[in-house]
Amino acid sequence: MYSIATSALAETAPQVKFTTSAGDFVVELYPDKAPKTVANFLQYVKDKHYDGTIFHRVINNFMIQGGGFDASYVQKPTRAPVEHEGRQALEKGLRNTPGTLAMARTADPQSATAQFFINVKANAFLDPVPIPPGDPVPQFEYRGEVYKNTPRAELLNARQLYGYTVFGRVISGMEVVEKIKATPTGAGGPFPTDVPKTPVLINSATLVK
């Protein structure tokens, strides 16, 4: 039964190939775990949004981020933000582990549009924080601070507890991601740090399955 279930998942999981100036890699997406996020990402792929964009934020031993700016550091227009599905994906086993694909966002958890990042190490601090049962929640501890008898909605809506939505993972070409993460960085365009000195361009992102 396990092999059948695994096979069924493999048949339904879309795959996207990224052809970049550093080489190619393929990501597999999980619509069964983060359906709105995957649909949003795939629409950008189909619209050729990612073609001609760069990895504008690269931090070795953390992650590589792209999908928002072209080679001239002009931010590309996007659709409305996608609903945050981080906790749902976490409950179904997706965490910010090496090789996983997650949505980038601002401080507002509901602000993710097109930008994404690939974890290059275990970044557990980016995972959504599970909220214990109860309303109010009898006791909850986060980063050394203890909350007692806190309304559940208050914790569910706390920005610092949302984390980031993981919705896929690299299934081939991880050596290319490793190459990108190690590229020398500095200032570039509007960014004071973390920009590859030699631009890493996404030539195309194509649905292959």
Side-chain angles (χ1 to χ4, degrees), residues 36-56:
K36 294 177 182 177
T37 306
V38 169
N40 173 71
F41 185 80
L42 287 177
Q43 189 60 56
Y44 281 112
V45 170
K46 293 171 184 175
D47 291 343
K48 303 298 182 183
H49 172 92
Y50 296 119
D51 298 10
T53 60
I54 58 171
F55 282 97
H56 65 277

Side-chain angles (χ1 to χ4, degrees), residues 18 43-56 66-81 111-116 190-191 201-205:
F18 283 87
Q43 189 60 56
Y44 281 112
V45 170
K46 293 171 184 175
D47 291 343
K48 303 298 182 183
H49 172 92
Y50 296 119
D51 298 10
T53 60
I54 58 171
F55 282 97
H56 65 277
F69 296 84
D70 67 18
S72 299
Y73 303 103
V74 175
Q75 189 164 8
K76 298 188 72 171
T78 61
R79 301 188 309 276
S111 64
T113 54
Q115 290 188 42
F116 62 89
F191 306 107
L201 185 70
I202 296 174
N203 297 313
S204 66

Side-chain angles (χ1 to χ4, degrees), residues 55-56 78 92 100 129 140 143 171-173 183 200:
F55 282 97
H56 65 277
T78 61
K92 295 184 177 181
T100 54
V129 178
F140 175 76
R143 295 185 177 177
I171 58 169
S172 70
T183 190
V200 181

Side-chain angles (χ1 to χ4, degrees), residues 5 9 23 30 32 43 58-59 69 95 100 104 119-120 145 160 165 167 172 175-177 182 184-185 206:
L9 173 60
Y30 303 117
D32 58 319
Q43 189 60 56
V58 170
I59 304 176
F69 296 84
R95 297 177 178 273
T100 54
N119 290 288
V120 297
E145 187 170 350
Q160 71 272 23
T165 302
F167 64 102
S172 70
E175 70 278 3
V176 174
V177 175
T185 60
T206 311

Side-chain angles (χ1 to χ4, degrees), residues 1-42:
M1 177 178 283
Y2 178 78
S3 60
I4 293 175
T6 304
S7 174
L9 173 60
E11 289 176 5
T12 58
Q15 294 177 5
V16 173
K17 180 180 180 180
F18 283 87
T19 301
T20 84
S21 56
D24 302 347
F25 62 89
V26 177
V27 298
E28 185 171 76
L29 311 177
Y30 303 117
D32 58 319
K33 298 176 174 62
K36 294 177 182 177
T37 306
V38 169
N40 173 71
F41 185 80
L42 287 177

Side-chain angles (χ1 to χ4, degrees), residues 114-155:
Q115 290 188 42
F116 62 89
F117 63 90
I118 299 172
N119 290 288
V120 297
K121 62 164 287 192
N123 292 315
F125 73 98
L126 298 180
D127 291 340
V129 178
I131 307 302
D135 191 6
V137 176
Q139 184 165 316
F140 175 76
E141 185 174 346
Y142 179 69
R143 295 185 177 177
E145 187 170 350
V146 178
Y147 301 82
K148 293 189 175 182
N149 296 317
T150 308
R152 186 170 191 80
E154 184 177 319
L155 293 175

